[in-house]
Amino acid sequence: MSDPILFATIDQLLAEPALDPAKIGQLLGATLVRNPDADTGAVESWEAAPGKGGAYEAIDLRMPDPDIGDGAIFLSATLREDGGIDGTAIGAHYGLDFKTEIPSPRFRPGSVPVYLVYEKDWGSLSFGVTADAQRRLVRFVLSTRRP
């Protein structure tokens, strides 16, 4: 997946006022199914159906219960391939106003991504990039807050 395609997909997710599992699956080109083993009283858990993740190795979606949950939607998508996207391409598209989250030293160096976190009034958009000189994109995370 090249950067214009991935960034257009992410921008569509950000622009969609009412995200739900079907809409997210459609935008990501994946089939999302409930994962009741990961559900809690306040959150429904969804994931890419086996073999139905398309360009994504893994998708994790947490939807709030409308009566109990805190209203936050959490979406994590791990890419199968980086498509040539790196920290420079991310900065060129989303700007340089981000925080960098370095992995804890308890992890083996290079085994966990470094995150470029864009804080917004609606939540955050984070990009996990490899912790090496190439800074290749491996995951993006969208986390919204209750309006």
Side-chain angles (χ1 to χ4, degrees):
M1 181 176 282
S2 68
D3 58 333
I5 295 169
L6 178 64
F7 293 157
T9 299
I10 293 170
D11 292 344
Q12 284 182 296
L13 287 166
L14 297 175
E16 183 65 38
L19 287 173
D20 61 44
K23 183 65 175 179
I24 291 169
Q26 176 189 7
L27 289 172
L28 295 180
T31 301
L32 299 183
V33 295
R34 282 287 297 277
N35 178 1
D37 294 337
D39 282 357
T40 69
V43 174
E44 288 182 358
S45 181
W46 297 76
E47 61 187 21
K52 303 287 184 186
Y56 303 95
E57 183 177 313
I59 298 172
D60 179 21
L61 172 64
R62 308 291 169 101
M63 297 295 293
D65 179 286
D67 298 323
I68 302 172
D70 65 3
I73 295 173
F74 173 85
L75 171 66
S76 172
T78 303
L79 295 137
R80 287 193 195 281
E81 298 178 17
D82 64 42
I85 301 170
D86 61 13
T88 302
I90 294 166
H93 187 83
Y94 291 99
L96 301 176
D97 187 19
F98 59 83
K99 292 188 300 184
T100 304
E101 291 185 359
I102 307 296
S104 166
R106 73 174 183 233
F107 295 107
R108 184 175 45 84
S111 66
V112 177
V114 171
Y115 281 89
L116 312 178
V117 182
Y118 293 85
E119 294 288 341
K120 305 293 183 182
D121 58 350
W122 48 260
S124 64
L125 173 61
S126 304
F127 294 94
V129 297
T130 57
D132 57 18
Q134 294 178 356
R135 296 181 42 205
R136 294 174 291 107
L137 179 66
V138 293
R139 177 180 301 123
F140 73 87
V141 178
L142 173 65
S143 182
T144 66
R145 290 189 277 271
R146 173 172 276 184

